[in-house]
Amino acid sequence: MTQKKIEIFLLAAVIVVAVFLRFWQIRNYVVFLGDEGRDMIVMREMIREKRPTFLGPTASVGGFYLGPIYYWMAAPFLLLWRFDPVGPAYFVAAIGVATVILLYKFIKDAVGFWPAILASSLYATAPLILRYSRSSWNPNPLPFFALLLIYFLYLGIKKQKFIHFLLAGAAFGVCIQLHYLATILLAIAAPVVIVNTNFRKWPLFFILASSGFLITFAPFLLFEIKNGFPNFQTIAEFVTRGTTVGYKSTNYFWIIANVGNIFLEFLTKINGTAVTRIIFWALTASGIYGLVKFWQNPDKKLIFTIGVIWFIGGLAGLRFYTGQIFDYYFGFMFPAPFLLAGLTVSLVWFQKAARIATVATTVAAIIFFINNSPLRFPSNRLIDQTANVADFLIEQSGGEPFNFGLITDSNSDHAYRYFLDVKGAKSVELETLVTEQLMVVCESQKCAPLGHPIWEIAGFGRAEIAGEWYLENIGIKVFRLTHWPGAPNPAGKPAGKGG
């Protein structure tokens, strides 16, 4: 078999594995809770009203909103799957496969086939990457667009074609609408340009990138301008707010190493060992070594600059985030350690012993990743469970109008409301009308709906339990409440909050 055929075969194998791991039984594993239900409600309304929204999902903290780009990208898939929530998950999975292919192409263009195929195979199977490549959620496409930004930046500097800077800016405009921590990419891109280009061209690069950014960011920017910049003001207040959470040390050397170890533990599922610390220092040292070694080689200097700054700079940038760091916060730099791993391989590939050790280590890592894959655990079937609960509510309501409430420890009711709406249930908001019955779903260990303080129950008025069921196959309780005959009946009028 020729070298070319070997390369085609191995690349096809990596793509097949990436596709299988992202699409296999995807419907049964999709996370479909309140946040996802909220997104589906917004996208379905966009489709029904034939009017795009200019406001995206709420950020996980801070009380502000993201841009609408995720809704715009995912809504067509919801329509194609006839409002089945699995549709946008297929979009995210396809983006996940595209990220594997783009990472391969990037590394191959920069340092050759073998570093590219080994690094992309690791990315294709990494447990954390896989977890966020199989569900519909606004941060999940971020690794692709972050990698696209870095790749266009690479091409723009290497080939001096200005269209690439325009496209890099456009990719950045998408990134910060998926998660605001992607703004760190700006602090990564700037030094890459500064180190690798002539300062006389910086104004032109800035104008081109800014123009691309405005193209994709325009919908959200127009919303802000029209409404007096409410989200920009909230963001400014949030980032200047004091907090007791986050890093307070000024020892940046320790902070970067510590955050890097946390990141690699998230990625690999290797927790509480020295392995991830060794990986961190190996990647860091090899990246810096390559940068020094190839400082006089413009192309190699460029790719090693990108690898080091994206990885180390991304970790350093998280120092300025003062809240708790969750695994998906690293989404803007998910591909970075794999890119740096490919560059590390390129440094030692000329040695036969190093080649054998590298391939063996990669194969062992892939086996470990697959053994720790989220697919090894039983599926949650959340979409089907939520749809079945909605069917049960409709059945027990007797086809009559009803109000709806959810008792939960950490969820919201949007997922249930989405299916109630899709199925044409006569579910009515309390602010619109108080009906004769209230259907309550309880996901908590303690289920006591009478007198519960949540608005959806308190606003219904004093009530009594007219029906109670335990859905054993799902593990939740359902209650049907009616108005207590000894109190004034508020039915037939809207319920006003605070009144």
Side-chain angles (χ1 to χ4, degrees), residues 24 49 99 113 115 120 129 240 247 300 354 375 408 420 423:
W24 183 74
E49 298 292 328
T99 311
F113 170 77
S120 59
I129 305 297
T240 56
Y247 291 101
K300 291 291 182 68
L375 302 182
T408 181
L420 289 172
K423 294 173 179 293

Side-chain angles (χ1 to χ4, degrees), residues 295-311:
W295 190 257
Q296 301 302 322
N297 182 324
D299 288 347
K300 291 291 182 68
K301 172 188 173 184
L302 171 59
I303 189 59
F304 274 93
T305 301
I306 289 173
V308 171
I309 293 178
W310 194 6
F311 185 59

Side-chain angles (χ1 to χ4, degrees), residues 428-445:
V428 184
E429 297 282 352
L430 281 170
E431 294 91 334
T432 302
L433 183 71
V434 178
T435 67
E436 294 289 350
Q437 57 181 339
L438 171 66
M439 304 302 298
V440 177
V441 171
C442 179
E443 298 177 340
S444 300
Q445 293 293 323

Side-chain angles (χ1 to χ4, degrees), residues 271-319:
N271 300 316
T273 72
V275 173
T276 49
R277 296 187 182 277
I278 293 171
I279 295 172
F280 169 80
W281 287 113
L283 292 177
T284 301
S286 62
I288 295 174
Y289 169 77
L291 186 58
V292 173
K293 179 180 180 180
F294 296 112
W295 190 257
Q296 301 302 322
N297 182 324
D299 288 347
K300 291 291 182 68
K301 172 188 173 184
L302 171 59
I303 189 59
F304 274 93
T305 301
I306 289 173
V308 171
I309 293 178
W310 194 6
F311 185 59
I312 303 301
L315 298 174
L318 285 169
R319 154 68 178 89

Side-chain angles (χ1 to χ4, degrees), residues 84-121:
D84 187 328
V86 77
Y90 276 98
F91 158 68
V92 172
I95 286 288
V97 174
T99 311
V100 174
I101 297 171
L102 181 59
L103 181 64
Y104 164 82
K105 178 171 175 52
F106 188 6
I107 300 176
K108 183 176 184 294
D109 289 350
V111 291
F113 170 77
W114 285 106
I117 201 69
L118 294 175
S120 59
S121 64

Side-chain angles (χ1 to χ4, degrees), residues 39 56 68 78 96-97 109 147 165 167 182 203 205 242 255 299 331 362 370 391 430-431 436 471 473:
D39 292 343
L78 184 63
V97 174
D109 289 350
L147 180 60
F165 288 99
L167 294 173
F205 295 160
I255 290 172
D299 288 347
T362 302
I370 292 176
D391 287 333
L430 281 170
E431 294 91 334
E436 294 289 350
L471 306 185
N473 58 326

